[in-house]
């Protein structure tokens, strides 16, 4: 499991390549019926890798069909309907199943326990992101100096997908401005235009912090209230903005609700009031 953008699919391709086999890629929502899964499994060759992204979104009926395939490399198929229905078992070639998820808690225990190993991908460090940016720049045939790559890495939210996305937008900016090389100055101008600050926060991240501080005077705020005040969906706040803000220590979750921290005040350049009365706005 891992948060979005850390390279789960890429890692599956690397595993297949190291094993010298083919890989079939699909996702949980794409497998709507048991027949869809049966078609995938019966078309695998010996040793192939089947990669299921967002595996926590598998249909429960499909999940039941997957159990014997994982345990016995067999597929149970029901032929016919009613009293005349009968079950036959088809042998499958031995294959490797890799499942990826952003929410491991939503995978049912029977499915989770059938995997031989469970791993979690961690966020990338600044040096690792710098190497990714320099490599991506070569693929894009774009020149970028190391200092500029370090600046971009520091604002990429520890995530390669975001680093590559920002690199492409900075490249576009450099081309429009007529620059042959992405320098420190170019990258700062481009990121300022994109409204990405020194910590990698965008305008929506800052809007959440500003709402907590200005509209609610820094008091704890419930998720529903915060979503209504910012015009964001609750899932967007909890899945996209909140994890990064908490990881940086700019926001905290208390029993009474969300609250900006002292670091959050400092980042926005706002003086935090002392000894203010804490009120719950759930």
């Amino acid at each position: 499991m891992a948060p979005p953008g850390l390279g789960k699919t890429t890692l599956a391709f690397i595993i297949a390549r190291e094993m010298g086999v083919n890989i079939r890629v699909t996702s949980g929502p794409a497998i709507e019926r048991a027949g869809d899964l049966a078609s995938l499994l019966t078309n695998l060759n010996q040793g192939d890798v089947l990669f299921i992204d967002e595996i926590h979104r598998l249909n429960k009926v499909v999940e039941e069909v997957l159990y014997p395939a994982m345990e016995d490399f067999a597929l149970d198929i029901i032929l016919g309907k009613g009293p005349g229905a009968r079950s036959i078992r088809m042998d499958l070639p031995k294959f490797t199943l890799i499942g990826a998820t952003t929410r491991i808690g939503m995978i049912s225990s029977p499915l989770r326990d059938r995997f031989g190993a469970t791993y979690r991908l961690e966020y990338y460090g600044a040096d690792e992101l710098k190497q990714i940016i320099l490599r991506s720049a070569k693929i894009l045939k774009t020149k970028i100096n190391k200092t500029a790559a370090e600046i971009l890495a520091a604002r990429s939210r520890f995530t390669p997908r975001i680093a590559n996305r920002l690199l492409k937008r900075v490249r576009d900016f450099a081309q429009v401005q007529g620059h042959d090389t992405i320098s420190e100055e170019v990258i700062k101008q481009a990121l300022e235009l994109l409204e990405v600050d020194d910590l990698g926060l965008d305008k929506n991240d800052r809007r959440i912090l500003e709402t907590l501080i200005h509209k609610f005077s820094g008091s704890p705020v419930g998720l529903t209230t915060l979503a209504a005040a910012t015009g964001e969906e609750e899932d967007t706040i909890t899945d996209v903005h909140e994890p990064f803000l908490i990881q940086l220590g700019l926001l905290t979750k208390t029993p009474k609700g969300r609250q900006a921290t002292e670091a959050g005040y400092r980042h926005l350049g706002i003086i935090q009031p002392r000894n203010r009365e804490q009120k719950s706005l759930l």
Side-chain angles (χ1 to χ4, degrees):
M1 70 157 293
L6 294 190
K8 300 183 290 295
T9 304
T10 301
L11 181 59
F13 274 89
I14 293 172
I15 292 173
R17 181 165 182 173
E18 289 296 315
M19 293 172 62
V21 297
N22 295 320
I23 181 172
R24 295 291 299 273
V25 178
T26 186
S27 66
I31 308 175
E32 297 180 350
R33 298 178 297 274
D36 299 331
L37 179 62
S39 177
L40 283 170
L41 294 174
T42 54
N43 281 289
L44 293 174
N45 295 319
Q46 187 77 13
D48 280 356
V49 171
L50 174 61
F51 175 70
I52 303 178
D53 196 12
E54 298 298 312
I55 196 170
H56 64 273
R57 296 175 63 185
L58 270 180
N59 184 296
K60 294 301 179 184
V61 175
V62 173
E63 191 176 301
E64 293 288 342
V65 176
L66 190 57
Y67 293 160
M70 295 175 69
E71 292 181 327
D72 305 319
F73 298 105
L75 186 64
D76 293 324
I77 299 177
I78 305 297
L79 298 178
K81 295 182 179 181
R86 59 192 181 92
S87 174
I88 63 171
R89 170 162 285 207
M90 292 179 57
D91 291 331
L92 297 172
K94 287 185 168 57
F95 66 96
T96 299
L97 175 64
I98 300 176
T101 180
T102 54
R103 296 184 176 184
I104 194 168
M106 292 182 66
I107 300 178
S108 65
S109 295
L111 178 59
R112 187 170 61 245
D113 293 343
R114 281 175 167 81
F115 281 93
T118 303
Y119 300 98
R120 176 184 174 86
L121 297 182
E122 300 295 338
Y123 283 105
Y124 285 63
D127 290 338
E128 295 168 327
L129 285 174
K130 175 185 173 183
Q131 296 302 316
I132 291 172
I133 290 168
L134 292 173
R135 177 182 177 274
S136 297
K138 289 182 179 179
I139 294 173
L140 295 172
K141 297 180 181 179
T142 300
K143 295 180 181 179
I144 181 172
N145 64 42
K146 292 185 178 180
T147 305
E150 290 172 358
I151 295 173
L152 188 59
R155 303 191 188 190
S156 296
R157 303 168 78 112
F158 318 119
T159 306
R161 180 181 294 167
I162 295 176
N164 288 327
R165 175 173 60 82
L166 291 177
L167 175 62
K168 291 176 182 178
R169 301 293 75 78
V170 172
R171 175 204 59 183
D172 296 342
F173 175 83
Q175 288 177 348
V176 170
Q177 296 295 321
H179 299 289
D180 296 330
T181 302
I182 299 176
S183 63
E184 305 96 292
E185 187 62 30
V186 170
I187 210 162
K188 288 179 180 178
Q189 291 176 5
L191 293 177
E192 183 178 356
L193 187 65
L194 294 169
E195 300 184 79
V196 176
D197 64 22
D198 294 343
L199 293 182
L201 271 62
D202 59 27
K203 63 179 181 180
N204 293 319
D205 298 317
R206 293 191 295 273
R207 183 157 55 89
I208 289 173
L209 287 178
E210 290 167 353
T211 299
L212 290 172
I213 293 171
H214 294 306
K215 289 188 177 181
F216 301 101
S217 303
S219 298
V221 181
L223 177 60
T224 302
T225 304
L226 181 59
T230 57
E232 291 280 3
E233 295 290 336
E234 293 183 19
D235 289 344
T236 303
I237 293 176
T238 56
D239 295 342
V240 178
H241 303 292
E242 195 173 76
F244 185 58
L245 293 172
I246 292 175
Q247 189 172 17
L248 291 180
L250 305 179
L251 181 145
T252 183
K253 292 171 67 176
T254 70
K256 294 182 179 181
R258 277 73 176 166
Q259 191 170 17
T261 64
E262 184 178 350
Y265 278 84
R266 285 201 308 269
H267 180 67
L268 295 179
I270 301 172
I271 298 176
Q272 183 179 19
R274 298 296 178 183
N275 301 321
R276 66 175 181 273
E277 183 182 0
Q278 300 294 331
K279 295 181 180 180
S280 175
L281 297 174
L282 294 174

